[in-house]
Amino acid sequence: MLSWQSSALWAKKTNDNQDKWLPLVVHMADAAEVAKLIWYHWIPFGTKQKIAQGICLSQNKFTDVDDVLPCFVLLAALHDLGKATPSFQGKLRETEFDEYLRRQIIDSGLPLLLTIHPRETKHFWSSQVILEEHKFDRKLAVILGGHHGQPPSNANLYNLRTAYKKDLGWARGQETWRDVQHDLLTYALQLAGVSEQEAKAWQPDITAQVLLSGLVIMVDWLVSDERRFPYIFLSEKTKPSKERAKIAWEDLNFPESWTPDNSWDWMGKNFFRIRFEIEDPRPVQDAVLNLLKGVSNPGIVIIEAPMGEGKTEAALAAAELMANRTGRSGVFFALPTQASANGLFIRFRDWIKRLETYTEHDIYLAHGKANLNKLYSEIRDEAKEMKVAKTHGEFWVGGDEAEETNEDGVIVHEWFSGRKKGILSSFVIGTVDQVLMGSLKQKHLALRHLGLANKVVILDECHAYDAYMSQYLYKILNWLGAYNVPVIVLSATLPGEKRQQLIDAYLNNESTSVLDYDPVFNIGIPEVQQLPTWATTYDYPIITFTNEKEVRQEKVCGKNRSLLVELRFLGSDEQIVTVLENLLSQGGCAGIIVNTVKRAQEVARALSEYFGEGNVHLLHSRFLAVDRSQKEKELFEKLGAGGDRPLQSIVVGTQIFEQSCDLDFDVLITDICPMDLLIQRIGRLHRHDENNKNRLPKLSDPQCYITGMSDYEFERGAELIYGKYLLMNTRELLRELPSLKLEIPKNIPYLVQKSYQSEGLDMPIELQKEYQEAKSKHEQRILKKMTKASDFQISDPYKRLPDLVGWLDTSITDDPTGKRGEATVRDTEDSLEVLVVQRRGKEYYTLPWVANFKARRIPTDMPPEEGLARAIAECSIQLPRELCWDLDKTIKELEIIILHELRAWQQSSWLKGELFLVLDEHLSTVICGYHLQYDPFYGMLSKKIEEENVNA
């Protein structure tokens, strides 16, 4: 029986004068019941198994994963034990209701303090200290200490035990507080159905601590929802917590966890046809399934194959198999950019809908602009309508998509839609930042780890991650390997050293090589040891995979698509027009990829003057988001698979064509760049076999023209972005090709491995001094990047980390939007995104071409209505780099307009916290000494005002 004192304590109370409260003992029982529901209906077997191993490994006791459920239930019930302290119970206002609560506590025999220190005695840290005081292991107790997202430091714990004992109720004359704390601990043990002796033996390892921390956070958030777990009047009795939890769970309506069967086995040759409508699977698609069928405990799989060989479908097929074998309930598909994630969203959604489970699957689009994705928003809104209809007992009938969603479709679940909770959805597709942030010291990190641990993780375009990002990648692979989470890595161009780093990170081995590969700024630290055979092979296409700690590798056999590309060098930009004039005389589609936005604009202008603006298309990162999306859509409709190819077309773009870009050019012109990126660009050349029979005679053979270099120098933008060292390697290796012909995929492994080998290349005598200087600068730059990346990283799971105390010390704080975390895991120069509107006279308008809201007047005395606000939010753009060199100055100038005229817009959920770039009637403005001009064809043009005056 609970004592009178225990029943008198409050866990929550209303702040709106309704005079309702929730007794602490009820909150504890609610949490215990919800923990059971989560365990039985949401957590996949693989995560349960890892927790069970982490708790019972030293005792070797468990025979079933459910044997450790009492541990989770106990932690859930005890998460707010620290509220049974005078420091928390004394946090009462000067109201009649709070005075009644104060009197109730004091009358029960529990003295309250006149002076409390809530900042130093946070109730969640107090929960940990109380549990440790009762001789429970710190490895268990720290899970309570971190349930608000930040485990305590050693200093926090020391101060609680010494300077603030009175706040905990441990000083002389406060014995009744110790009694009530023990009483509540006993109550929690009863709720969990476990003895105190058995619970004191639990010593979860570090992986189980993190996963249980994430689960306790989840429980806390669920049971703290006043709508689903209502407070009561003082004279009222609550329903039994089992009934309260059941009602709340039914209202939440979580989709049942995906439990994949072995469809890939019993479907046989029909698997790819049923899942992806592929009648004749590519060799790499067949190979990955055949290999993994013989793997009992798959870990990490690295698939290296040429562009256009179906790696995406191969990865999804492998994910099904690996999820089945390892007991996972979802997939996280990570891509380099928002654009690539949006581009793959439909294919990802369609695969989910074809899974044979006959139930709804929850999906989440994980990036900062997800709400602007039309299809994702439609799925989310549809789910909301269905929930409203069910709440009112209506039979809801929608369109075809709605009907499919009811059967075996895809939904966006309301509870999993938040920035921190989205990763808990079963199926997530988004930017790789969301995975890399699993390495970042950031509040509620355990929740992110839990979301990843439940899934198979696919990392696409791995060659796109530079040395800085790779440090975060290796760190999260340490943890994913420790959780036994299956990981699939995809790349067309991956050096052996990088392959070895990925495998060793996942297996938590010390790398036999200290090389680190970076496609933009590569480095090899001078000391180099012998690489294993599976890292040095030139075989290609190739699949490298682990089974337990064993590393295996297989070359993909079968007929792969082959391309023999004739390479030519252009000495000047003027030759671009001459070459295209000849090659496109009868028609054709040419692609031009350059290294900077400014250069892309200049090249597009020159070509437009000669070929006509209607035949030239420009695409880069400095367009309004709404314009770029439309331009991408039009390009893919014309030059994508099955596109309606125009008679003549010239597409000019930047590096955005290197990643997940399924365009098919008849001829390619590209700036010089590092070898692997050059091969990626060439992957857009003669990409679709079905177009080959219709290519004009002058374009029937693949041709790539390389510009931006000479024998002794490189185009300035290329050298600034990539550094001279990698460009010299690329130039030298290309010149060694017989007859300047590049054979894909045959030449890929040799060229990429040689380009990034740590010892560099043999250069002509006249270039050796310049080459060594470039190499030295290159290595120093990368060492600096690698060091910088460690500033906010968590530690390895198996090094110097017995428990989570201090795990997130020096973490990133004050990050309500998540943008700071995303920026931290990428080593990019400061950038600034703004929303663009137009001002005519004293009135503000949307831009003249924005769909549905063309030149719509925007009120300034109130927030815009939702549809209009969303249209404004879609008009985002990255400011030119030169305006970010003094970022504070630029922000200060932009804030002036918000403070004086647009303050009301901050009340809109779509516009809150945004900065606005205001253009005049001519779509131009002046800011920080630069004249900006937006052109729907060229994007944002920038020129320093002094330069304009000189030119004038």
Side-chain angles (χ1 to χ4, degrees):
M1 287 289 293
L2 283 164
S3 66
W4 178 26
Q5 289 98 334
S6 298
S7 301
L9 302 181
W10 60 277
K12 298 181 180 297
K13 56 189 178 64
T14 55
N15 292 318
D16 54 5
N17 299 319
Q18 288 192 29
D19 294 351
K20 289 185 177 182
W21 73 315
L22 192 66
L24 180 55
V25 293
V26 174
H27 188 56
M28 291 173 66
D30 288 347
E33 294 300 330
V34 167
K36 296 173 188 175
L37 291 168
I38 289 176
W39 185 269
Y40 285 122
H41 299 287
W42 186 78
I43 308 176
F45 175 81
T47 304
K48 293 179 183 178
Q49 185 179 52
K50 188 60 193 174
I51 293 171
Q53 291 170 346
I55 294 174
C56 304
L57 193 59
S58 60
Q59 303 170 51
N60 198 25
K61 284 183 177 180
F62 77 96
T63 57
D64 186 276
V65 294
D66 291 339
D67 290 349
V68 297
L69 171 60
C71 180
F72 176 32
V73 175
L74 177 66
L75 290 167
L78 287 174
H79 76 279
D80 276 350
L81 178 61
K83 290 183 175 180
T85 57
S87 64
F88 182 86
Q89 292 298 316
K91 292 195 294 185
L92 296 166
R93 301 166 299 166
E94 298 298 324
T95 67
E96 185 177 342
F97 176 68
D98 281 31
E99 183 58 35
Y100 187 96
L101 289 177
R102 182 183 287 107
R103 181 50 50 197
Q104 176 176 276
I105 295 166
I106 294 173
D107 287 350
S108 73
L110 294 169
L112 291 178
L113 303 174
L114 295 176
T115 303
I116 59 175
H117 305 89
R119 178 170 295 183
E120 289 78 10
T121 57
K122 296 181 185 297
H123 75 272
F124 35 96
W125 296 343
S126 299
S127 296
Q128 174 176 341
V129 171
I130 293 170
L131 200 60
E132 288 187 38
E133 182 72 7
H134 283 83
K135 308 305 180 185
F136 285 76
D137 196 279
R138 171 169 286 191
K139 293 177 181 177
L140 186 75
V142 71
I143 297 166
L144 305 184
H147 85 263
H148 271 227
Q150 180 102 14
S153 66
N154 280 301
N156 295 142
L157 297 177
Y158 176 80
N159 290 338
L160 270 172
R161 288 194 177 91
T162 55
Y164 302 105
K165 291 177 67 173
K166 192 175 283 189
D167 294 78
L168 291 173
W170 292 357
R172 184 176 297 178
Q174 293 181 304
E175 289 76 12
T176 48
W177 280 107
R178 285 184 178 271
D179 292 341
V180 78
Q181 289 163 7
H182 184 267
D183 188 38
L184 291 173
L185 175 57
T186 303
Y187 177 56
L189 289 166
Q190 293 170 357
L191 290 172
V194 65
S195 70
E196 185 171 345
Q197 181 181 3
E198 183 179 355
K200 285 182 176 178
W202 289 331
Q203 299 179 29
D205 70 6
I206 199 67
T207 58
Q209 288 174 48
V210 177
L211 296 176
L212 285 167
S213 293
L215 287 168
V216 172
I217 291 170
M218 187 176 175
V219 169
D220 183 33
W221 287 3
L222 285 169
V223 298
S224 297
D225 181 351
E226 183 182 354
R227 184 171 65 85
R228 294 190 171 98
F229 290 88
Y231 302 170
I232 59 172
F233 293 107
L234 283 167
S235 59
E236 186 180 358
K237 286 189 175 182
T238 62
K239 296 177 181 177
S241 285
K242 188 171 185 177
E243 184 178 346
R244 282 163 60 87
K246 181 175 181 292
I247 294 170
W249 190 261
E250 289 175 352
D251 183 63
L252 281 164
N253 193 29
F254 281 3
E256 287 290 328
S257 291
W258 176 49
T259 51
D261 58 18
N262 61 341
S263 300
W264 38 269
D265 195 9
W266 59 263
M267 283 184 186
K269 293 182 179 180
N270 292 321
F271 178 77
F272 280 94
R273 178 180 59 81
I274 293 170
R275 282 290 186 270
F276 310 106
E277 299 181 346
I278 295 175
E279 296 293 340
D280 186 18
R282 304 295 299 167
V284 72
Q285 295 169 341
D286 275 335
V288 72
L289 278 186
N290 291 334
L291 286 174
L292 292 179
K293 285 177 183 178
V295 177
S296 59
N297 189 13
I300 185 171
V301 177
I302 302 176
I303 303 174
E304 299 170 58
M307 302 71 69
E309 285 296 311
K311 292 190 292 294
T312 296
E313 290 76 17
L316 291 173
E320 276 195 58
L321 185 153
M322 296 169 85
N324 171 266
R325 289 277 169 88
T326 63
R328 307 295 154 174
S329 63
V331 173
F332 192 121
F333 205 121
L335 296 111
T337 64
Q338 292 182 7
S340 55
N342 286 336
L344 196 62
F345 182 78
I346 294 178
R347 289 163 67 187
F348 188 62
R349 188 260 335 238
D350 289 348
W351 166 71
I352 296 169
K353 290 173 67 173
R354 295 186 184 113
L355 298 174
E356 278 84 17
T357 52
Y358 306 103
T359 185
E360 294 175 337
H361 299 296
D362 51 316
I363 191 171
Y364 181 70
L365 180 58
H367 64 66
K369 297 290 184 181
N371 287 335
L372 298 179
N373 182 290
K374 185 178 179 182
L375 177 58
Y376 180 71
S377 296
E378 287 175 353
I379 297 173
R380 181 198 60 207
D381 294 344
E382 187 175 275
K384 288 180 179 178
E385 291 178 24
M386 290 177 64
K387 182 174 178 60
V388 170
K390 289 177 181 178
T391 301
H392 291 86
E394 300 168 3
F395 179 76
W396 187 77
V397 179
D400 294 337
E401 290 288 331
E403 200 170 308
E404 291 175 12
T405 302
N406 277 328
E407 295 290 332
D408 58 345
V410 179
I411 65 168
V412 176
H413 194 281
E414 178 187 13
W415 199 83
F416 295 120
S417 293
R419 181 175 60 82
K420 292 187 176 182
K421 295 184 292 187
I423 199 168
L424 299 175
S425 298
S426 298
F427 296 94
V428 183
I429 181 169
T431 54
V432 71
D433 312 75
Q434 305 299 322
V435 175
L436 300 185
M437 282 195 290
S439 308
L440 189 64
K441 290 183 179 180
Q442 197 173 30
K443 200 172 180 183
H444 296 109
L445 181 63
L447 209 62
R448 187 176 298 274
H449 278 229
L450 174 63
L452 292 173
N454 291 344
K455 299 175 179 64
V456 178
V457 176
I458 302 174
L459 303 168
D460 197 8
E461 308 275 10
C462 193
H463 51 269
Y465 311 153
D466 65 15
Y468 180 90
M469 292 174 67
S470 291
Q471 301 312 302
Y472 286 98
L473 174 60
Y474 300 147
K475 187 69 69 177
I476 192 59
L477 284 175
N478 291 154
W479 285 88
L480 294 178
Y483 296 134
N484 300 327
V485 168
V487 174
I488 302 168
V489 177
L490 306 179
S491 181
T493 52
L494 195 65
E497 291 88 349
K498 179 75 167 186
R499 183 188 309 143
Q500 186 237 1
Q501 288 275 11
L502 294 168
I503 296 284
D504 282 348
Y506 183 85
L507 294 178
N508 281 279
N509 293 337
E510 290 289 344
S511 289
T512 55
S513 165
V514 291
L515 284 174
D516 187 20
Y517 155 71
D518 176 352
V520 178
F521 306 111
N522 184 64
I523 182 175
I525 302 173
E527 180 187 353
V528 182
Q529 301 174 16
Q530 187 65 37
L531 295 176
T533 304
W534 51 263
T536 58
T537 179
Y538 282 172
D539 286 345
Y540 189 83
I542 198 163
I543 300 173
T544 311
F545 58 101
T546 63
N547 186 20
E548 298 288 350
K549 289 286 185 180
E550 180 187 5
V551 181
R552 302 181 189 176
Q553 191 174 64
E554 292 283 344
K555 181 180 179 181
V556 177
C557 299
K559 187 176 181 180
N560 292 295
R561 182 175 175 271
S562 181
L563 202 66
L564 186 63
V565 182
E566 183 177 352
L567 302 177
R568 297 181 182 180
F569 301 110
L570 298 182
S572 67
D573 287 353
E574 288 73 21
Q575 289 182 274
I576 295 176
V577 174
T578 305
V579 166
L580 293 180
E581 179 186 25
N582 173 41
L583 292 177
L584 304 184
S585 60
Q586 295 176 316
C589 300
I592 303 176
I593 305 176
V594 296
N595 293 327
T596 65
V597 171
K598 186 174 182 180
R599 182 161 161 72
Q601 292 169 332
E602 292 170 349
V603 170
R605 188 179 299 279
L607 293 173
S608 297
E609 290 173 357
Y610 191 87
F611 292 95
E613 200 169 276
N615 291 319
V616 178
H617 306 274
L618 179 62
L619 189 62
H620 53 69
S621 59
R622 213 175 295 161
F623 279 102
L624 293 171
V626 65
D627 289 352
R628 177 172 167 177
S629 177
Q630 182 60 30
K631 289 176 182 291
E632 287 175 347
K633 180 174 180 290
E634 292 172 356
L635 277 180
F636 281 98
E637 287 175 350
K638 294 176 181 178
L639 301 180
D644 184 14
R645 297 175 73 82
L647 176 63
Q648 184 184 80
S649 180
I650 301 171
V651 179
V652 182
T654 53
Q655 293 91 332
I656 58 177
F657 289 127
E658 291 170 3
Q659 301 165 4
S660 302
C661 179
D662 192 20
L663 295 179
D664 182 346
F665 298 126
D666 297 321
V667 62
L668 181 69
I669 299 175
T670 174
D671 276 351
I672 184 74
C673 61
M675 181 61 74
D676 59 333
L677 304 183
L678 179 65
I679 292 171
Q680 289 291 329
R681 295 179 184 188
I682 292 174
R684 318 307 152 195
L685 182 61
H686 286 220
R687 185 175 178 88
H688 300 139
D689 292 337
E690 65 269 19
N691 294 328
N692 288 338
K693 60 181 179 294
N694 297 320
R695 299 192 202 274
L696 295 166
K698 289 183 179 181
L699 304 168
S700 59
D701 295 324
Q703 303 167 66
C704 176
Y705 293 79
I706 300 174
T707 187
M709 70 175 193
S710 67
D711 289 341
Y712 297 101
E713 62 182 6
F714 299 98
E715 190 269 326
R716 181 172 177 271
E719 192 169 323
L720 284 172
I721 293 172
Y722 301 114
K724 185 178 289 187
Y725 173 69
L726 289 182
L727 299 180
M728 293 181 78
N729 283 351
T730 300
R731 182 177 62 188
E732 188 67 20
L733 287 168
L734 290 178
R735 287 173 172 171
E736 292 178 4
L737 289 172
S739 304
L740 282 179
K741 291 187 182 294
L742 172 63
E743 188 173 351
I744 295 176
K746 180 180 178 181
N747 295 148
I748 289 179
Y750 174 81
L751 291 175
V752 173
Q753 306 288 10
K754 295 291 286 185
S755 185
Y756 293 109
Q757 64 185 11
S758 60
E759 61 269 30
L761 302 176
D762 293 329
M763 286 285 166
I765 294 176
E766 64 272 17
L767 293 177
Q768 286 180 2
K769 182 180 179 182
E770 179 186 1
Y771 184 66
Q772 288 304 318
E773 289 176 354
K775 187 172 185 290
S776 178
K777 287 181 181 178
H778 175 72
E779 291 171 350
Q780 292 171 19
R781 190 175 185 179
I782 299 310
L783 283 170
K784 184 177 179 181
K785 291 161 74 76
M786 293 169 64
T787 302
K788 179 183 174 184
S790 66
D791 289 347
F792 291 103
Q793 275 187 20
I794 58 174
S795 56
D796 297 345
Y798 297 125
K799 293 180 182 176
R800 305 178 302 279
L801 197 66
D803 55 64
L804 294 179
V805 173
W807 190 44
L808 300 183
D809 288 0
T810 68
S811 66
I812 288 183
T813 56
D814 190 25
D815 190 23
T817 65
K819 291 181 180 179
R820 190 174 176 191
E822 292 172 10
T824 302
V825 297
R826 288 184 187 258
D827 187 31
T828 56
E829 293 187 14
D830 284 331
S831 61
L832 187 63
E833 185 179 79
V834 296
L835 303 183
V836 181
V837 293
Q838 188 179 29
R839 180 164 53 194
R840 300 183 218 155
K842 294 184 178 181
E843 302 285 354
Y844 288 84
Y845 294 84
T846 58
L847 297 171
W849 58 89
V850 176
N852 300 324
F853 292 95
K854 296 180 179 179
R856 177 75 65 88
R857 190 181 73 82
I858 314 170
T860 56
D861 57 345
M862 65 179 70
E865 54 93 4
E866 185 173 358
L868 179 57
R870 176 173 178 163
I872 298 169
E874 289 177 338
C875 292
S876 62
I877 196 169
Q878 292 285 343
L879 288 181
R881 184 181 301 176
E882 52 267 28
L883 282 170
C884 300
W885 294 335
D886 189 346
L887 201 58
D888 290 339
K889 180 181 177 182
T890 302
I891 291 174
K892 189 174 181 180
E893 190 162 330
L894 290 169
E895 283 178 337
I896 293 173
I897 191 70
I898 297 175
L899 295 173
H900 285 80
E901 299 185 46
L902 305 181
R903 190 185 294 272
W905 293 8
Q906 296 297 306
Q907 299 174 37
S908 166
S909 60
W910 289 95
L911 307 179
K912 185 177 182 180
E914 300 288 352
L915 295 169
F916 297 91
L917 183 69
V918 181
L919 304 181
D920 61 20
E921 292 90 339
H922 307 291
L923 300 178
S924 68
T925 191
V926 173
I927 179 172
C928 297
Y930 285 87
H931 179 256
L932 302 184
Q933 176 74 51
Y934 190 79
D935 186 285
F937 179 80
Y938 293 105
M940 186 65 78
L941 301 162
S942 171
K943 186 167 286 190
K944 203 167 186 178
I945 291 177
E946 293 124 359
E947 294 176 7
E948 286 190 330
N949 294 336
V950 170
N951 293 334

